Amino acid sequence: MELSDQIFYSLFLFIWLLYLWEEYLAYKQRCVYRAAHDVPEELQAVLPKKTYIKASVYQLEHARLDSLHALFTQLESTAILLLGGIPYLWDFSGRLLSSFEYGPEFEISQSAIFLLLASLYSWLVGLPWSVYSTFVVEERHGFNKQVLVTIYADYIAPLFDKFTPLPEGPLREAIESLAKRLSFPLTKIYVVEGSRRSAHSNAYFYGFYKNKRIVLFDTLLQQEGDTEKGCTQDEILAVLCHELGHWNYQHTLKHIVFSQMNLFFCFLLFQTLMGWPELFSAFGFHSEYPILIGMLLTFQFALAPYNTMVGFAAVAISRRFERQADQFARGMGHGKHLLAALLRLNATNLGFPEADPLYSIWHHTHPTLLERIRALGGKKED
């Protein structure tokens, strides 16, 4: 067997082994959802059984859809690799370019056509799955609020979301006081109308250096006369204190440094592999070595084992950062209210409080709700 064939089948085998491992973990997690009958002891006083069961049904439905989508994607990728879909699309892009009397020396133009066609194909293939997830699964559980195409929520609506300053009042004063206490350079506080698109709740901050802004989803705020939805002022402060914990420990900066180091290493490997003809031959490119194709083969296939290890490390680091942010809020005296907020947001977003340990270690960037409750509910707050 030639070296190029060894490379191809080794990577092909790894891709399938990784898929089977992921599916095994997904199966274990689906078993957790199906076995959800009784609320965990730590949550029985605060989490209604009806909400617990509803969350398990919601998550199980998503998990089943994800499993089907993963199988479809794996079979699709297998067909593309075995049938030479990548070199075919590259040659087709070249023929399309030549119809305008441009030759193979116009590699950048051919690469642009290749990217356009590949992106269009990917969008068309993924659209039915996205539509079903949004208009069937999310609609069935009361989260979808769109009237437009499915990409509206993720790509178009955020461009037109209405950001309004948080009105003067006790909540604004409390947030400003918290920011001042932590020397957080807060300049503005906004409320965004996320409820137009989804019933999910969230909060975040953004900005550079000494120009930070806090954004609250309107679904996070309690409306007058309705205490069932949204969080109380103390709970909102606890959530923000958690987010400010990330700022205090410079988690965002650490993530950026980690990602940049990884990117540098990947491009270093790309530079090396671009001069390796056997990699191109393994995927059907025997006489030409386009830079774009080299990037595709390197980042998507040749670096697949490395990317898997880095992804696992990134998940572990993120989970550690979330624990640190929780403990920061607890140390600031917001532990009890953070617990209440986590429970409320978990119920609002139909999050499930438990996970298979192996699945959680591999996938979850946050500890499960049950893990966070146990960590926050231990010793007395400082």
Side-chain angles (χ1 to χ4, degrees):
M1 183 181 290
E2 295 183 0
L3 178 58
S4 59
D5 292 331
Q6 294 177 14
I7 294 171
F8 177 83
Y9 288 111
S10 295
L11 293 175
F12 184 78
L13 177 62
F14 176 81
I15 291 170
W16 266 98
L17 288 176
L18 180 61
Y19 164 74
L20 293 175
W21 168 248
E22 296 271 8
E23 274 307 296
Y24 168 69
L25 295 179
Y27 168 75
K28 288 173 66 67
Q29 184 62 19
R30 290 196 300 272
C31 289
V32 172
Y33 295 142
R34 280 193 288 265
H37 301 299
D38 298 314
V39 181
E41 184 178 350
E42 296 92 334
L43 299 174
Q44 287 179 357
V46 290
L47 182 63
K49 185 173 182 178
K50 181 180 179 181
T51 302
Y52 178 75
I53 298 299
K54 185 178 180 182
S56 70
V57 172
Y58 171 72
Q59 296 293 343
L60 180 59
E61 191 167 358
H62 264 299
R64 286 170 174 164
L65 181 62
D66 290 343
S67 183
L68 287 174
H69 191 193
L71 176 60
F72 173 83
T73 301
Q74 186 69 12
L75 294 176
E76 175 197 24
S77 300
T78 297
I80 289 173
L81 289 176
L82 293 180
L83 298 177
I86 298 175
Y88 172 81
L89 185 60
W90 178 258
D91 291 340
F92 180 80
S93 300
R95 293 196 301 271
L96 191 61
L97 188 64
S98 65
S99 66
F100 295 96
E101 300 183 354
Y102 289 95
E105 65 274 14
F106 291 89
E107 183 182 314
I108 295 179
S109 300
Q110 187 172 350
S111 299
I113 295 174
F114 177 89
L115 278 178
L116 178 63
L117 294 176
S119 299
L120 180 61
Y121 169 80
S122 178
W123 180 77
L124 289 174
V125 170
L127 184 60
W129 299 95
S130 182
V131 168
Y132 185 86
S133 175
T134 301
F135 291 100
V136 178
V137 178
E138 293 290 296
E139 182 74 29
R140 184 178 295 154
H141 294 276
F143 287 123
N144 174 46
K145 294 192 176 183
Q146 299 177 45
V147 297
L148 297 176
V149 294
T150 186
I151 60 171
Y152 170 80
D154 293 329
Y155 303 108
I156 299 176
L159 300 176
F160 302 99
D161 277 340
K162 184 179 180 181
F163 289 79
T164 56
L166 181 66
E168 296 291 339
L171 178 59
R172 186 181 183 90
E173 292 173 2
I175 293 174
E176 291 173 342
S177 176
L178 176 63
K180 184 176 181 181
R181 180 182 174 191
L182 296 174
S183 300
F184 180 73
L186 178 64
T187 57
K188 296 179 181 178
I189 308 173
Y190 290 115
V191 177
V192 60
E193 291 184 312
S195 59
R196 292 184 301 167
R197 298 182 283 114
S198 173
H200 293 292
S201 299
N202 200 4
Y204 62 91
F205 70 86
Y206 69 98
F208 294 101
Y209 194 48
K210 294 187 178 296
N211 187 25
K212 306 288 188 183
R213 294 99 182 264
I214 287 177
V215 177
L216 307 174
F217 276 47
D218 59 350
T219 49
L220 191 66
L221 308 178
Q222 284 187 345
Q223 304 301 319
E224 187 175 352
D226 185 4
T227 59
E228 293 297 321
K229 297 179 181 179
C231 294
T232 65
Q233 175 174 308
D234 287 333
E235 290 167 358
I236 292 173
L237 289 175
V239 171
L240 290 178
C241 198
H242 168 93
E243 295 301 327
L244 292 174
H246 289 304
W247 168 79
N248 180 74
Y249 291 121
Q250 297 186 320
H251 289 162
T252 301
L253 177 61
K254 292 174 183 177
H255 272 305
I256 291 174
V257 171
F258 179 83
S259 62
Q260 291 302 308
M261 290 176 60
N262 174 55
L263 192 61
F264 173 79
F265 184 68
C266 287
F267 273 103
L268 192 64
L269 290 176
F270 165 67
Q271 182 185 22
T272 302
L273 294 176
M274 269 300 294
W276 196 24
E278 286 80 5
L279 176 63
F280 286 86
S281 297
F283 291 89
F285 293 86
H286 303 288
S287 58
E288 54 182 340
Y289 313 111
I291 294 177
L292 177 65
I293 298 300
M295 294 182 68
L296 174 65
L297 299 183
T298 298
F299 290 105
Q300 187 167 343
F301 298 108
L303 292 183
Y306 167 78
N307 289 335
T308 300
M309 292 187 295
V310 170
F312 176 73
V315 166
I317 292 171
S318 178
R319 208 163 43 242
R320 175 177 173 79
F321 286 173
E322 291 301 325
R323 291 193 183 100
Q324 288 179 337
D326 278 355
Q327 291 305 316
F328 178 83
R330 181 172 178 264
M332 293 290 292
H334 292 277
K336 180 179 69 174
H337 296 298
L338 181 58
L339 273 176
L342 289 173
L343 289 166
R344 191 186 295 270
L345 294 175
N346 184 80
T348 301
N349 298 331
L350 284 187
F352 195 69
E354 299 177 277
D356 175 80
L358 204 55
Y359 180 90
S360 183
I361 288 174
W362 190 260
H363 283 290
H364 285 169
T365 57
H366 290 58
T368 64
L369 176 64
L370 203 54
E371 290 171 335
R372 297 175 79 173
I373 285 175
R374 288 167 178 166
L376 286 169
K379 300 178 181 178
K380 184 179 179 181
E381 295 178 7
D382 296 330

